[in-house]
Structure formats: C-alpha cells, structure tokens
Amino acid sequence: MRTRVVKIADVEAVESAFADAGRIIRNGGLVVFPTETVYGLGADATNAEAVEGIYRCKGRPSDNPLIVHVASVEQAETIARVSPETKKLMQRFWPGPLTLVLPVLQGVPSIVTAGLSTVAVRMPDHEVALRLIRAADTPVAAPSANRSTRPSPTDAQAVLEDMDGLVAMVLDAGPTAVGVESTVVDATGPCLALLRPGGVPVETIEEFRGAPVAKDSCALENRSPGTRRRHYAPSIPVVLMDPGELWKNEPAILEAGDMLAYMGMADPPGPVCRAVVFQSVGEYGRGLFQTLRLFERCGAKAVLAELPGDPGLGRAIADRLRRASEKRR
Ligand code: TXA
Ligand code: MG
C-alpha cells in the first residue's frame, strides 16, 4: 500500500483531504491523525474488522483495549453510559487530554474494549482530529500510531518510521503540543482511579472534584492492560537518573562509551555525544518521545535520562521514562 501524506498547512488540499479521510474510515480503512498529545492510528470504532486492522498494523496484543475518540459529549453518549458526575468532568476537561473509562453500551464491538465491560473515551483538543471524526461521522478508535512497544509518534516523520506503507493516509499537522498521551481515569465507580498519568495533571482533576483520585499502581496494572511494563522504548537502552544525581555507572553506560546521549532539565553530568536540555516540564513532555527517536537515529548506543519531579506533567514523563528503561524480557 502506498501511504498518502497530506500536509494540513496546505490549505488547497485540506477540504478534499478530510472528505477522503472520512471516506477511508467509513470504508473500514486506517488513517493516522494528529491530536494534542500524540498521533493516533484511527479506524471506525463501530466496525470490528476495521478495528482488527489497527491491532494488525501496530502488532498490538489483542487484550489491550483502545481509546474511542469522539467530537462531542453527545457522541460519547452513543457508546458509553455517562452519569451526571461524568458529564461534569467532560464539560470541564474536553476537548483535552483526559480519557474516561466508562461502562460500555451495547453495539460497541468487543475487539475495541478487549472484551471488557468498559470503554475508554476521549475528545481530543485538535481541530484536525475533530474534523476527521466529523467527516467520518462515526466514533474513531485510535491507539498511538507507533508499532507496539515503540515510543509514541509526535510528528509525521516518527509516524512514517513505523507505519509507512501500512496505512492509507497520514494527516500531517506538524509536531503535537503536549507530547505525552492522555491521562486515563477509571470513572465507573463513585471514586476516580488513575490508570495512566498523562496530559492532564491528576492534581488538576482532584482540585476540580474536591476529592482524591486513587493512584494505587497495583490495581492499575490489573485494570488497564496497556499499562504493563516495557513500552515506549527505543531500540537502545535507557538509563534513568534522579534530579541532582551526579553520574551512573551502569553497564549500558560504560558500554556506550562516548556514544552516550543525554536528556533532562539539568546540564549533562559528564561528556556525551548529544544532549537535549529542556527548559521546562512542558518542553520535556513535548520533546520526550521525539528525542528518544532522535538519539536512536543519530547512532547513540545508550540514553541517560534525568527524571523530572513527580507533580503535574512530570508524573506522566517519569512514567514513560520508567517504562522505556525496562529491560527487554
Ligand atoms: O493521548 C492518547 O491517549 C493517545 C491519542 C492517540 O489519543 N492514544 C493512546 O492510546 O495513547 P493507546 O492505545 O496507546 O493507550 C490507551 C490506553 C492503554 O493503556 C489501554 O490499556 C487503556 O488506555 N485503556 C483503553 N481502554 C480501556 C478500558 N476499557 N479499561 C482500562 N484501560 C483502558
Ligand atoms: Mg500507545
């Protein structure tokens, strides 16, 4: 298959491109589209065969359910049971990087939910994503548009590294604004539970609700299959260091020698072949996955990554770094 890449900045192409993209989705095909977090690999969420295509394309285990993307609260109500409390969350945080896990309604193919009685729903804060969903006129199931276990793609180049020739179309709107995926929250019970830290700081949700969000990581592993260990990993080892730590004497670092790359918010703690220093946590979020792929491309043999502090977006960045650093099993 030849992948058609449409640059959204090119206004001429845009109207017809959305019509084409909508048609591809309606006909059971796959379209990669930008969101405010990362690029998504989209298919018609009501078409089991189309959704099967997502799993095949990503090489994703079929027990890991997908997020369904909607363009309105009303559209969410066609696939999930939305309580008045949940609606308040949607009204406050949508469009935006908050995914809500809710009781699923009949009619959603079980392949979307991996057979669970819940479905994850979100309304992305990106005009291109919203226009695509409207053009397709159906909720769009979409995981991040990377091959399974690879870093999530935050620009079209990263998408094509993993997906060229596998999808019909890529809508390229440049780099994404947030850079890490949405926050996933289980909202099926009276108390919210964090399943994956992400673009919306959990502290902001707690402030809005006036109640704590459960963060028990053990329950989390069981309830959200996608939060299993190794994930987001480049092909080279990633070694973590705490803020203020002076150096790491791990085998991967020693083996890398002068082909060690570094990223973090402080200056590199020693000689490296390539360093990316972020000026803020927001910049770290935007640059995280892109930098992992950059280091891989430039021939680095290992990555030394400084963890950010835990509150706010730092929690999501630290979570992705910890998973990226998990050793292959
Ligand atoms: O920002 C994002 O969320 C991006 C963009 C494309 O929207 N999408 C994304 O999708 O990160 P994915 O498939 O890479 O991650 C979805 C996460 C996984 O951890 C999955 O296990 C969890 O959501 N999830 C999906 N449905 C669930 C459900 N019914 N119950 C619990 N967890 C669920
Ligand atoms: Mg993913």
Side-chain angles (χ1 to χ4, degrees), residues 178-265:
V178 178
V180 291
E181 302 89 338
S182 61
T183 303
V184 181
V185 164
D186 183 326
T188 52
C191 300
L192 300 182
L194 180 69
L195 300 182
R196 178 180 74 181
V200 175
V202 67
E203 294 85 351
T204 311
I205 303 171
E206 293 178 323
E207 224 168 87
F208 175 71
R209 294 267 292 195
V213 173
K215 300 174 203 73
D216 177 340
S217 66
C218 193
L220 193 152
E221 297 261 322
N222 296 330
R223 279 153 84 176
S224 194
T227 48
R228 283 193 202 109
R229 308 309 313 184
R230 194 165 185 281
H231 210 134
Y232 312 112
S235 55
I236 47 179
V238 177
V239 177
L240 305 182
M241 56 183 279
D242 286 317
E245 225 181 320
L246 296 179
W247 189 248
K248 282 277 184 193
N249 272 323
E250 297 211 356
I253 300 276
L254 300 174
E255 276 162 35
D258 58 4
M259 289 310 286
L260 176 67
Y262 165 86
M263 72 172 146
M265 295 187 56

Side-chain angles (χ1 to χ4, degrees), residues 33-41 58 60 63-69 97 99 101-102 112-114 116-122 124 142-146 152 180-184 186 195-196 223-228 231-232 320:
F33 62 96
T35 76
E36 77 282 35
T37 58
V38 302
Y39 276 72
L41 171 62
K58 262 189 83 96
R60 178 173 175 128
D63 61 352
N64 189 2
L66 304 175
I67 295 173
V68 179
H69 295 67
T99 295
V101 171
L102 302 170
V112 172
T113 62
L116 298 173
S117 58
T118 55
V119 62
V121 193
R122 96 175 186 98
S144 47
N146 51 284
S152 295
V180 291
E181 302 89 338
S182 61
T183 303
V184 181
D186 183 326
L195 300 182
R196 178 180 74 181
R223 279 153 84 176
S224 194
T227 48
R228 283 193 202 109
H231 210 134
Y232 312 112
R320 306 308 187 265

